[in-house]
Amino acid sequence: MNKIAVLTSGGDAPGMNAAIRAVVRTGIAKGWEVYGVQQGYEGLMNGHMDQMGQRAVGGIVQQGGTILGSARALEFKTVEGRQKALAELKKREIDGLVVIGGNGSQTGANALYEMGFPVVGIASTIDNDLYGSEMTIGVDTALNIALEAIDRLKITASSHKRAFLLEVMGRDCGYLALMAGIAGGAEYISIPELPNEPEDIAKELHAAYERGKKHSIIVVAEGAKYNANALIQYFKEHKAELGFELRATILGHIQRGGAPTAFDRILATRLGGAATAALAGGEYGVLVGLNKGTITTTPLSVVVANKKSLDLGLIELHDELNN
Ligand code: ATP
């Protein structure tokens, strides 16, 4: 192996820059040339890539987002799109690729690998919905941002005897909502994995007031059966009988924008180093991830064929704590 390329794809996640830095510097330490691809698979198909030196990745370890940019590239889902990308890689004699991203991005990485190109994936998405890594890059930062929001909302909720609803990201996965709710001491957590009705939430909040609680915080995952807007509508219609108001905050992209936590920087750095080590060792078509405290590799074919499960025992723990 002499030349490799690195790209970030899908939703940006805090810590992606630390991963890029680690791939570039550990790649150069192995005597390789490293190319940075702009805008994910879109840039790969259009040949937008430049060689990166050690200094090109200076001062980025503490920055959220991705200096390479990211994009959603529908054309890459087609064989023709991927052939275009392979032609661009061949033109520059690049013989290895590192893909930093989540589920969709690793599905693309696997498709490219199956066409014969040496690819290694790095587990990175704030949703934590990627099989093959217990924690993915960006999750810890996003979780801490959600937690800070809960802490702040609790102060104002206590002062005004109001119920506050916080909607957090996570696509179809309830990980962020569940963990933020537990860490923030929320009264109710609503996640896609355990669908519930607005009546259940109202009943729970009512019971909490009767137990003498001064505030109520509901954390809702964006992919829950009823999202923030649907719940607001229900509470508006039933305000008289419920006896309290519901205010909603949708965190949205604020959750992505933070400076990466120490955990995310270290995870990203370890995964970046592991990705170039895998390429150097001829271990292709794998995802590098974190499992039981160690860095592991899992075949991309296994990663894309499996769904990560959520520890629903934590909901029971939350129910016991919330009394
Ligand atoms: P996140 O979950 O954090 O948003 P992601 O990697 O899951 O990240 P997606 O938008 O699902 O984000 O995918 C990113 C890109 O990966 C797509 O725009 C597309 O270029 C590529 N991709 C997704 N699915 C496939 C597929 N089935 N085959 C080939 N490429 C794919």
Side-chain angles (χ1 to χ4, degrees):
M1 188 139 306
N2 292 310
K3 284 188 194 177
I4 66 162
V6 56
L7 62 83
T8 50
S9 168
D12 63 297
M16 277 183 161
N17 280 329
I20 296 168
R21 172 178 175 268
V23 169
V24 170
R25 291 197 176 158
T26 59
I28 291 172
K30 289 177 173 56
W32 303 340
E33 286 181 17
V34 184
Y35 284 71
V37 182
Q38 300 289 329
Q39 307 298 327
Y41 291 127
E42 190 67 45
L44 193 63
M45 290 183 293
N46 294 307
H48 296 154
M49 54 191 106
D50 298 295
Q51 195 179 343
M52 298 176 93
Q54 291 97 327
R55 299 286 76 74
V57 290
I60 63 166
V61 74
Q62 70 274 35
Q63 285 173 20
T66 158
I67 57 160
L68 291 175
S70 189
R72 312 231 184 230
L74 288 182
E75 197 189 346
F76 195 74
K77 292 189 179 184
T78 65
V79 176
E80 295 73 29
R82 293 195 294 279
Q83 272 163 349
K84 259 170 84 177
L86 288 174
E88 292 296 334
L89 289 163
K90 198 169 166 208
K91 204 153 80 184
R92 290 167 184 78
E93 298 178 323
I94 291 171
D95 37 25
L97 176 69
V98 177
V99 173
I100 305 171
N103 252 323
S105 307
Q106 303 307 340
T107 306
N110 187 49
L112 202 63
Y113 169 67
E114 286 180 346
M115 289 171 80
F117 198 80
V119 185
V120 170
I122 293 183
S124 176
T125 165
I126 65 161
D127 304 334
N128 210 24
D129 59 351
L130 185 62
Y131 188 87
S133 193
E134 284 168 3
M135 285 291 274
T136 51
I137 296 171
V139 173
D140 187 63
T141 308
L143 191 51
N144 277 290
I145 293 169
L147 190 55
E148 192 185 336
I150 294 176
D151 290 347
R152 288 172 187 234
L153 288 174
K154 257 190 170 171
I155 295 171
T156 174
S158 300
S159 314
H160 293 280
K161 199 182 177 231
R162 269 183 192 144
F164 273 82
L165 182 152
L166 180 73
E167 184 182 289
V168 301
M169 283 187 156
R171 285 204 186 178
D172 298 328
C173 175
Y175 181 91
L176 275 180
L178 178 57
M179 296 306 175
I182 288 174
E187 273 63 37
Y188 201 93
I189 301 170
S190 183
I191 53 176
E193 292 83 352
L194 281 177
N196 39 36
E197 299 300 312
E199 291 80 5
D200 303 329
I201 301 176
K203 219 165 93 190
E204 195 55 48
L205 295 193
H206 218 79
Y209 273 118
E210 295 199 329
R211 291 197 301 273
K213 290 219 171 194
K214 285 202 193 113
H215 55 250
S216 278
I217 304 285
I218 311 162
V219 181
V220 180
E222 67 178 345
K225 187 174 174 192
Y226 294 90
N227 65 10
N229 288 328
L231 290 173
I232 286 291
Q233 191 55 35
Y234 172 86
F235 276 79
K236 209 183 249 170
E237 284 164 12
H238 297 81
K239 192 181 157 194
E241 57 201 268
L242 290 169
F244 52 82
E245 286 181 68
L246 183 70
R247 297 286 163 98
T249 302
I250 299 176
L251 266 192
H253 287 78
I254 286 177
Q255 235 172 298
R256 289 189 187 276
T261 58
F263 180 90
D264 275 329
R265 294 183 206 191
I266 293 162
L267 176 63
T269 303
R270 290 175 78 192
L271 294 183
T276 57
L279 284 176
E283 198 183 2
Y284 309 143
V286 293
L287 177 86
V288 290
L290 180 73
N291 289 294
K292 298 189 177 19
T294 4
I295 304 300
T296 58
T297 53
T298 308
L300 284 169
S301 56
V302 173
V303 170
V304 301
N306 283 280
K307 200 171 157 26
K308 191 175 189 172
S309 60
L310 191 60
D311 180 2
L312 294 178
L314 287 168
I315 277 278
E316 284 169 35
L317 174 65
H318 174 262
D319 288 346
E320 280 185 30
L321 291 170
N322 184 31
N323 58 31

